[in-house]
């Protein structure tokens, strides 16, 4: 049974509020949902947190005023059977119940991450995020929480929440970082991010004037609920990043790679209240070798840079990524959808980055942008999009035309529809991509290296032999011992091509106080160094020393230059990194 949410005045925003006695339902009254987090597990889509606009519903029509608020529920969408979001999608809103051990309710966060966990794990995991002050008078709003037990799990069988202490050399939780998961290895990765006044009780003094970008990459062992903090100085220098995308790709090197794409950057010393800094170019990609974590010579892992070829997307933030592999394994194709750029640029396009050739191909251009959404590959060839807005004026613009907050893309035909097909056929490489990288929709890509070759011998070594000739990577989970000087982690005790309505026709797929503020900025500047701390100890072979942050020594250290260790073949010297319509040919109804 879903407990109704009662609307009250919106206080902070100049919107006309709903009648106070009107019930607000996160599904029925959904208008726009952004900055949420989502995950697919056991044939169910889970949507947590985020900002949400609500609207009156008269029968099946959205009418009247908009109320800004937050999503306090865990929303589920059944993926075990086919549905049409126009008529028979199965959605439910679950109340987020308290941890039975502590009585603590999971926080309502936005711009966090959800991780699937290993396939035999009944839990998924919530990490990071920030408390939104979108509307502090909205029912269910609670201020920031302490971040000591900032890793949460939700058991999809028992429907019980739990929490763990993995605070990693700082009591603060980041948000707006890029993240991905090697679920076959039980590892989750969270890259950079930011602190703001909603990060925790300790950062509330930041007020509206501070956004502190953070260095570092968090590696979470979901099997043991422990974590490790890696320096990212080698890849970002003193310019940490937010709002980019990261994708895990298996079958490359010994344990797969991470591909870091886009986002924005600004100096760690810049604490101004700007959501974005300089947009990262899309013609250069960062690659992380997961197996390097197990090598004593690379305690923070090994990063590489690679230039791309083909037409290049505009720099952007707040997009989403999914991955599909050619039937014969000859190419790994990362789909990038939507996002926003500089000067009020919003995108309704889809680009595919094909690896190992690192070639961009634009496969779709539309006219209804979307940013601050999430997306997932479900089944064999379907990309499911969740939420998003057309621009930052979503409080006064029409509601999401995808009225249930989900969209369906056939990744092979690159066509949009409202129907999710639970038994869709095998994935095939889009014809536009095959024309670029060679081969056919079934595979056979003949571009096995980037145009001009790999940018370093070490990166070339990761891709040898070529993908369609490589043996499967060794991605099984192995025991990850904790160093003797750190404690173990603890829980606190006690698509279809049918027509899809759209507002505009799409083109066809293309081929505090002043004193307090000063103190807050000083605090933020010091916190900016918290990811820079050197990992305690080294490790060899299969030892992977995850460690939980101890509760002492939380004073941030000053940034220092450190050399970059690279795993390169003999003879290479270590080097430092330089810093149609959306529905198969039919059009949306005219606006």
């Amino acid at each position: 049974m879903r407990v109704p949410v009662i609307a009250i005045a919106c206080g902070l925003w100049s919107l006309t509020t709903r009648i106070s006695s009107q019930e607000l339902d996160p599904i029925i009254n959904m208008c726009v949902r952004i900055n949420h987090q989502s995950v697919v597990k056991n044939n169910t889509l889970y949507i947590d947190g985020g900002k949400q606009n609500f609207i009156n519903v008269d029968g099946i029509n959205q009418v009247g005023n908009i109320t800004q608020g937050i999503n306090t529920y865990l929303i589920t969408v059944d993926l075990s059977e086919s549905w049409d979001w126009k008529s028979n999608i199965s959605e439910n809103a679950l109340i987020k119940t308290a941890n039975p051990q502590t009585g603590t309710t999971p926080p309502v966060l936005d711009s966090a991450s959800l991780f699937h966990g290993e396939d035999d794990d009944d839990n998924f995991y919530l990490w990071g995020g920030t408390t939104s002050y979108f509307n502090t008078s909205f029912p269910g709003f609670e201020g920031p929480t302490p971040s000591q037990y900032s890793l949460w799990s939700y058991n999809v069988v028992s429907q019980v929440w739990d929490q763990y202490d993995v605070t990693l050399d700082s009591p603060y939780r980041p948000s707006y970082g890029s993240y991905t998961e090697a679920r076959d290895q039980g590892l989750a990765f969270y890259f950079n991010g930011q602190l703001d006044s909603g990060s925790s009780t300790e950062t509330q003094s930041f007020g509206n004037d501070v956004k502190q970008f953070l260095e570092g990459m968090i590696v979470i062992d979901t099997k043991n609920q422990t974590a490790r903090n890696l320096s990212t100085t080698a890849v970002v220098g003193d310019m940490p990043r937010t709002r980019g995308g990261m994708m895990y790709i298996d079958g490359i090197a010994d344990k797969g790679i991470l591909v870091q794409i886009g986002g924005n950057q600004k100096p760690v010393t810049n604490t101004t209240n700007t959501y974005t800094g300089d947009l990262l170019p899309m013609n250069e990609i960062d690659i992380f070798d997961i197996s390097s974590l197990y090598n004593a010579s690379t305690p923070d892992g090994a990063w590489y840079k690679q230039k791309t070829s083909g037409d290049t997307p505009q720099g952007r933030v707040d997009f989403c990524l999914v991955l599909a592999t050619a039937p014969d394994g000859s190419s790994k194709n990362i789909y990038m959808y939507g996002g926003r750029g500089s000067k009020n640029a919003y995108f309704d396009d889809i680009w595919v980055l094909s690896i190992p050739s690192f070639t961009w191909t634009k496969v779709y251009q539309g006219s209804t942008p979307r940013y601050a959404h999430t997306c997932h590959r479900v089944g064999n060839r379907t990309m499911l999009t969740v939420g998003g807005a057309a621009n930052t004026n979503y409080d006064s613009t029409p509601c999401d035309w995808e009225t249930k907050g989900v969209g369906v893309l056939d990744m092979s035909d690159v066509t949009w529809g409202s129907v999710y097909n639970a038994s869709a056929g095998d994935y095939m490489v889009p014809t536009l991509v095959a024309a670029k990288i060679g081969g056919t929709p079934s595979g056979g890509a003949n571009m096995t290296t980037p145009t001009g070759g790999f940018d370093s011998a070490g990166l070339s070594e990761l891709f040898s032999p070529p993908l369609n000739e490589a043996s499967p990577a060794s991605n099984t989970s192995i025991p990850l011992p904790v160093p003797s000087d750190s404690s173990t982690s603890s829980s606190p005790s006690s698509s279809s091509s049918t027509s899809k309505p759209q507002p505009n026709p799409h083109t066809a797929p293309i081929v505090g106080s002043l004193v307090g503020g000063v103190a807050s900025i000083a605090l933020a500047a010091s916190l900016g160094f918290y990811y820079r701390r050197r990992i305690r100890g080294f490790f060899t072979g299969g030892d992977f020393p995850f460690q939980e942050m101890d509760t002492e020594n939380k004073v941030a250290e000053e940034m220092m230059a450190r050399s970059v260790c690279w795993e390169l073949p003999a003879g290479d010297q270590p080097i430092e990194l330089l810093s149609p319509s959306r529905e198969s040919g039919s059009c949306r109804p005219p606006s």
Side-chain angles (χ1 to χ4, degrees), residues 310-375:
D311 296 333
T312 304
Q314 292 178 251
R316 65 190 67 194
V317 298
D318 299 337
F319 50 88
C320 73
L321 302 175
V322 296
L323 175 72
T325 301
D328 67 347
S330 60
S331 66
K332 305 279 188 175
N333 298 302
I334 300 175
Y335 287 64
M336 180 180 72
Y337 169 50
R340 59 173 165 167
S342 58
K343 297 181 180 179
N344 297 318
Y346 300 91
F347 302 109
D348 181 13
D349 55 9
I350 299 173
W351 293 77
V352 174
L353 178 65
S354 298
I355 291 174
S357 65
F358 288 88
T359 302
W360 283 109
T361 305
K362 191 175 187 179
V363 296
Y364 173 80
Q365 177 64 59
S367 59
T368 55
R370 191 170 297 271
Y371 81 98
H373 52 292
T374 56
C375 59

Side-chain angles (χ1 to χ4, degrees), residues 40-46 75-84 88-92 384 420 422:
V40 173
K41 191 175 182 77
N42 294 356
N43 287 320
T44 300
L45 168 67
Y46 293 88
I75 297 172
T76 67
V77 179
D78 180 22
L79 300 177
S80 63
E81 297 183 355
S82 302
W83 43 254
D84 186 334
N88 65 342
I89 187 172
S90 176
E91 296 181 287
N92 287 288
L384 197 66
Y420 161 69

